[in-house]
Amino acid sequence: MTMGAQGTPVTSSELLSVVASRELVARRTVFAGIGLPTLATELAQLTVAPEIEVVYESGVCGAHPSHLPETIADSVLITGAEAVISMPTLFGCVLQGGHIDVGFLGAAQIDRWGNLNTSVIGEWDSPAVRLPGSGGGVEVMANAREVFVVMRRHTPHSFTDPLDFCTAPGPDRALAEGIRPLGAGVTRVITELGVLAREGVGHELRLVAVQPGVTVGQVRAATGWDLQVADAVTTVEPPTAEELRLLREDVDPGRVYLR
């Protein structure tokens, strides 16, 4: 367990949510998934990015829920929303029209180029684990200006190259197949060990920051490829008392996602 700025114990969910929320500075539209992305965007609205417009896969745009939604179709998302549109309109006009600044995605595996696996662990024909699949992940990867990934696990099996299966190809892989995506693909990966970043096509993920108490060597040992490291690796500022208070008392007092 990490410690906050004032020595307060911080859970992994709290740490990831706070760090991800800080990355939303100067972003305007966010395609958010349920769970940690929702926590991060809600916290960002109360801190670094009050003007963020949150878009959900169910077609809700500019959501203003009275409390945290438990699914993308939760009725609490509808009340007070700026608009509710059909899913074909959401994907065909909003996403493919290039109107999303940041798409939040999760994954079971990620490789050095930011390609994601949310389909199977192991062989396709006889997988050890079968996962939910793409959902809207492929569309988000291809059309959001950039993609943030929040990973609860940072191990050589979750950060691996090659992937067991590529569900959502980043722009490098898409271009190699003759497909020209709109966005830069994954630009930020936030884990409990640190923050990885890439600038876009032709760039691998590299370590740019470590969490408090974590060394560069620990992050490299937990990554399944020879991880590039920035010339100047910073240390993430621990969650402040105010960030934790907002997260615990205002964003998720019922502990829907905090754990």
Side-chain angles (χ1 to χ4, degrees), residues 31 90-103 136-147 169 171 179-185:
F31 194 107
L90 173 66
F91 284 92
C93 298
V94 178
L95 256 177
Q96 293 181 16
H99 300 295
I100 297 297
D101 291 331
V102 175
V138 172
E139 292 282 355
V140 173
M141 178 72 86
N143 296 294
R145 291 190 176 93
E146 57 183 326
V147 172
I179 301 168
R180 184 172 295 278
L182 292 178

Side-chain angles (χ1 to χ4, degrees), residues 131-170:
L131 301 166
S134 171
V138 172
E139 292 282 355
V140 173
M141 178 72 86
N143 296 294
R145 291 190 176 93
E146 57 183 326
V147 172
F148 293 172
V149 178
V150 182
M151 301 275 285
R152 287 188 180 273
R153 295 180 180 178
H154 193 143
T155 68
H157 194 59
S158 54
F159 284 72
T160 185
D161 193 7
L163 302 172
D164 289 357
F165 183 87
C166 181
T167 310

Side-chain angles (χ1 to χ4, degrees), residues 203-217:
H203 294 271
E204 293 185 24
L205 287 167
R206 60 176 184 154
L207 180 66
V208 297
V210 293
Q211 302 289 7
V214 177
T215 67
V216 171

Side-chain angles (χ1 to χ4, degrees), residues 35-71:
L36 292 178
T38 299
L39 291 176
T41 52
E42 292 277 343
L43 181 59
Q45 286 180 315
L46 297 174
T47 53
V48 299
E51 299 301 318
I52 273 182
E53 179 179 348
V54 186
V55 178
Y56 287 92
E57 189 175 346
S58 52
V60 179
C61 301
H64 301 285
S66 58
H67 54 275
L68 283 181
E70 296 188 27
T71 71

Side-chain angles (χ1 to χ4, degrees), residues 11 13-14 17 33-39 42 56 65-72 74 76-77 152 246-259:
T11 68
S13 295
E14 291 170 339
S17 300
I34 293 298
L36 292 178
T38 299
L39 291 176
E42 292 277 343
Y56 287 92
S66 58
H67 54 275
L68 283 181
E70 296 188 27
T71 71
I72 60 169
D74 197 321
V76 72
L77 290 173
R152 287 188 180 273
L246 288 170
L247 198 57
R248 294 167 178 174
E249 298 179 13
D250 292 7
V251 176
D252 193 8
R255 297 299 190 270
V256 177
Y257 300 116
L258 288 178
R259 59 177 194 237

